[in-house]
Amino acid sequence: MNTEDLVRLLKTSSGDDAGCEEAFALLDQYVEAELEESDVEALLPAVAEHLRNCGPCSEEHAALLVLVREHMGI
Amino acid sequence: MSEMPPVTLTVTGRQGVAGSSAIAREALDAESRAWVQSLSVEGDERVQALKRLYDLLLRAARREGQERGRLVPVAGVELDDICQQAAGDALVAVTSKLDDFRGASRFTTWAYKFVVFEISVKLRRHPWRGRTIPTADDDPVWDRLAEDPRQADSRLESLDLVHALRQAVERELTPRQREVFKAVVLNEVPGDVLAERLGTTRGAIYKMVHDARRKLRRRMEAGGYMEPVAEA
């Protein structure tokens, strides 16, 4: 963490954020929507916002995306 | 192949896939329907389904463990033990929440979500076992920030910014927000690690950081240190 990171963090959009629990509840739908190339920003905007802001949830989103992609043979 | 841990399953209020969940589950894809059905019946079919599900979850945990293991000082038997614990915990989560599954995604996608969560949390917590989480008011991270060599070109501005931010943290945040902000933001302690120590949830920690960030941003904007950001 340096001062640039800190300022960037403070500047992060204050849009509607689903929070960790709701994002987790919808994460499977979000990932499948992404793989179907749906507009997840429009479908689940609060989840998209949360994934931009939350490191742990973002890591888990990336991991789930890889697993599901492999499972579906994409 | 690892042994599946003992799981006591109680599927209440359901006989097969009939009952209150039947309408929602008519829309399930064939694979998901087969999973739900075999996990819902009694006897050997369910035992076999549990074993297949555990194996699926364990493969996923191991894959993710290998991936994240590069960043975490854990490997070999210890890593595999963590993967087995994650798969076991995910199996319990999936089976206990089976009534909540409505087919909004494929069953396997839904199940993978739990094992990804379990292995991720366990691997994030692992490096922090036995370590003290820095939250003290005299935390040296402020000095480190002020001395960041990457800021050498604008050293004076950087010092001024760090000083203003430190003041804002001390004056604007509640003691709990300050504690959480210093741990999660300044010292990069994962939210779920801090949540475990403080006996709360990752979501609650996230919310505290979110609110703290908003307070600090307003203070920094008012002080002319940052351009105003539009609130949603």
Side-chain angles (χ1 to χ4, degrees):
Chain A
M1 179 68 69
N2 58 37
T3 48
E4 281 178 11
D5 294 335
L6 266 175
V7 170
R8 195 177 308 119
L9 182 91
L10 296 182
K11 278 182 178 171
T12 302
S13 163
S14 55
D16 187 21
D17 186 317
C20 297
E21 280 83 6
E22 190 185 339
F24 181 77
L26 295 168
L27 193 59
D28 49 326
Q29 295 174 56
Y30 187 92
V31 162
E32 288 198 353
E34 279 182 299
L35 293 175
E36 289 161 8
E37 299 185 352
S38 300
D39 183 358
V40 287
E41 292 283 344
L43 283 174
L44 296 164
V47 176
E49 176 68 13
H50 182 71
L51 295 178
R52 276 191 289 274
N53 295 336
C54 180
C57 290
S58 172
E59 281 180 18
E60 288 157 23
H61 161 248
L64 184 61
L65 193 60
V66 169
L67 273 175
V68 175
R69 190 175 272 144
E70 286 183 0
H71 184 87
M72 293 166 68
I74 300 173
Chain B
M1 179 60 65
S2 304
E3 287 295 310
M4 184 180 75
V7 177
T8 303
L9 285 180
T10 306
V11 183
T12 55
R14 184 188 324 183
Q15 298 296 319
V17 292
S20 61
S21 304
I23 294 174
R25 288 191 174 128
E26 283 176 6
L28 294 187
D29 64 279
E31 184 190 1
S32 299
R33 193 182 312 118
W35 273 113
V36 172
Q37 186 156 9
S38 56
L39 288 168
S40 302
V41 296
E42 299 294 334
D44 190 56
E45 183 179 348
R46 181 206 251 176
V47 172
Q48 293 305 316
L50 285 170
K51 186 173 183 327
R52 282 188 289 118
L53 180 56
Y54 177 73
D55 289 345
L56 186 82
L57 296 172
L58 182 57
R59 278 199 300 277
R62 283 176 170 153
R63 192 208 178 287
E64 191 54 21
Q66 289 298 324
E67 193 63 33
R68 285 175 197 245
R70 296 173 197 157
L71 306 172
V72 180
V74 58
V77 174
E78 190 180 14
L79 176 59
D80 202 58
D81 186 47
I82 293 172
C83 292
Q84 290 183 41
Q85 287 175 33
D89 289 348
L91 183 68
V92 171
V94 168
T95 50
S96 66
K97 295 175 194 299
L98 193 57
D99 271 348
D100 297 337
F101 177 66
R102 290 288 176 270
S105 67
R106 289 169 181 81
F107 175 82
T108 47
T109 303
W110 181 73
Y112 278 145
K113 177 173 73 169
F114 292 96
V115 77
V116 164
F117 174 81
E118 293 293 344
I119 189 68
S120 300
V121 169
K122 284 171 172 51
L123 289 177
R124 275 195 295 269
R125 285 179 178 166
H126 191 273
W128 287 91
R129 287 190 312 184
R131 281 174 64 187
T132 302
I133 290 179
T135 57
D137 283 349
D138 60 349
D139 196 289
V141 73
W142 292 115
D143 298 331
R144 289 204 304 273
L145 277 172
E147 291 164 7
D148 187 345
R150 285 169 290 191
Q151 307 294 318
D153 290 344
S154 54
R155 189 61 183 271
L156 285 175
E157 290 87 343
S158 177
L159 284 171
D160 196 26
L161 185 74
V162 170
H163 178 70
L165 186 59
R166 185 173 188 172
Q167 275 197 333
V169 167
E170 302 306 328
R171 293 176 183 175
E172 301 294 326
L173 305 186
T174 65
R176 190 60 173 249
Q177 281 178 328
R178 204 154 50 228
E179 181 183 22
V180 169
F181 184 84
K182 284 179 176 177
V184 174
V185 176
L186 299 184
N187 289 288
E188 301 179 72
V189 178
D192 30 29
V193 172
L194 187 62
E196 184 186 36
R197 300 282 178 98
L198 298 180
T200 185
T201 64
R202 174 164 116 196
I205 295 291
Y206 178 81
K207 177 76 167 53
M208 249 184 278
V209 172
H210 186 78
D211 293 346
R213 216 169 51 183
R214 182 171 293 184
K215 279 186 182 179
L216 295 174
R217 189 177 66 233
R218 286 179 184 151
R219 167 53 57 194
M220 297 298 278
E221 286 171 358
Y225 293 96
M226 285 174 59
E227 293 294 318
V229 177
E231 295 273 342

